Amino acid sequence: MNILVIGGGAREHALCHALSRDPEVTALHCAPGNAGIAEVATVHAVDATDGAAVAALAVELGAALVVVGPEAPLVAGVADAVREAGIPAFGPSAEAARLEGSKAFAKEVMASAGVPTARAYVCETAEEVDEALDAFGPPYVVKDDGLAAGKGVVVTPDADAARAHAASCGRVVIEEFLDGPEVSLFAVTDGETVVPLRPAQDFKRALDGDAGPNTGGMGAYSPLPWADPKLVDEVMASVLEPTVADMRRRGTPFSGLLYAGLAITSRGVRVIEFNARFGDPETQVVLARLRSSLSALLLAAATGELASLPPLNWSEEAAVTVVVASDGYPAAPRTGDPIEGLAEIAAEDGPDSYVLHAGTRRDDAGRVLSAGGRVLSVTATGSDLREARERAYRSVERISLEGSHYRTDIAAKAAESA
């Protein structure tokens, strides 16, 4: 199978890493890619949000499947353009991607489908914002209604900070704070059949102990030794299947990756948000444990054949990802700094530990430079979380990137309790 992956972050590198090891894949392309992806796939310069350009590239390459990674191209209708060109695409239509593109729309779907979630108000004026903040009290949860590259949510005890974020966004969703640990559960669907992947937990705050500002994610791990063994079945029955059914009833069937961000509250499981694509950095650890053919799974979803796919095969090993971020991330990340130590990790730590590139590029001299806020995702597997953590952090310590930072407590509590 000849596959084209759209995107250029660590999520797409994780997808390409898995696909490059898949015997079903005969050729692998990525657009636009990054310095790490270029080591396992042929990269192409393209505007990932330009559906016509992506579809033309797919036709030119003779791709049998296009996998659209990021949310912005999905909301822009890139998967639609690819399908109109006669090529199967993994990813929802622009209409279905509104589940992520609009927090208000997602709340509407959840209400219609009977999906448990936080009580919320959609606000467009300062007066409405004040009323909603007063209704819920601190800590305040304020979400930009639209796409915000993982930076659209503020959780704060400070009412002025909550108002300021709301004012900077325009239309916002203000909702009650959900207590309890958070879990990410991905499901692959063709609009009818829903196949859950393994749950993971990520770490949103920038600093150890869940301190500092929200980020796109500073690390993740899987499995979750503390989670109820029935969690996946419960979420399938109460969240994922009802949502897919409701989207189908609306005439906008959801096909692709449905990501449920969950809070395990004192009142039961509640949905924090939906995403319309693989999450980053959870994808890194979930795919590290997948033993079935990823290409077969994605193609079955893209062609409506999931019901005939055999059950997925998973490794019992644990996986941990630690994100190395650039100086100034998330407020004002510095870019253009050289990265050292990658060759040492590849030579001495693999295959149990490897580096997935998020924000990198090569200069004219062939050096790998930082090119984003989250620069690298160091991913490791082990017999348990303790071993996976040790391997991941051993590799992290080999990396030299001036001013970079990372959390030292990814999966620490879970490893202790396992």
Side-chain angles (χ1 to χ4, degrees), residues 16-101:
C16 288
H17 181 268
L19 291 169
S20 70
R21 287 160 170 72
D22 188 333
E24 302 284 333
V25 178
T26 54
L28 184 59
H29 301 267
C30 187
N34 61 38
I37 293 173
E39 297 176 2
V40 296
T42 303
V43 297
H44 305 266
V46 75
D47 178 354
T49 61
D50 185 337
V54 170
L57 176 62
V59 170
E60 178 187 336
L61 296 174
L65 174 67
V66 175
V67 180
V68 185
E71 59 272 26
L74 291 168
V75 171
V78 168
D80 302 271
V82 171
R83 282 189 278 265
E84 288 167 7
I87 298 173
F90 180 82
S93 66
E95 278 293 308
R98 289 180 66 208
L99 267 180
E100 178 169 3

Side-chain angles (χ1 to χ4, degrees), residues 325-329 332-335 337 373 401-405:
S326 61
D327 185 23
Y329 178 78
R334 191 176 80 196
T335 61
D337 291 310
L401 171 61
E402 186 178 351
S404 63
H405 62 98

Side-chain angles (χ1 to χ4, degrees), residues 11 20 22 25 70 90 106 129 137 142 158 168 184 228 252 256 270 317 325 344-345 347 359 365 380 385 405:
R11 165 187 44 234
S20 70
D22 188 333
V25 178
F90 180 82
V129 168
V142 183
D158 185 336
S168 71
S184 299
D228 187 330
T252 54
R270 297 288 186 272
E317 285 195 317
E344 288 79 4
I345 295 172
L385 286 173
H405 62 98

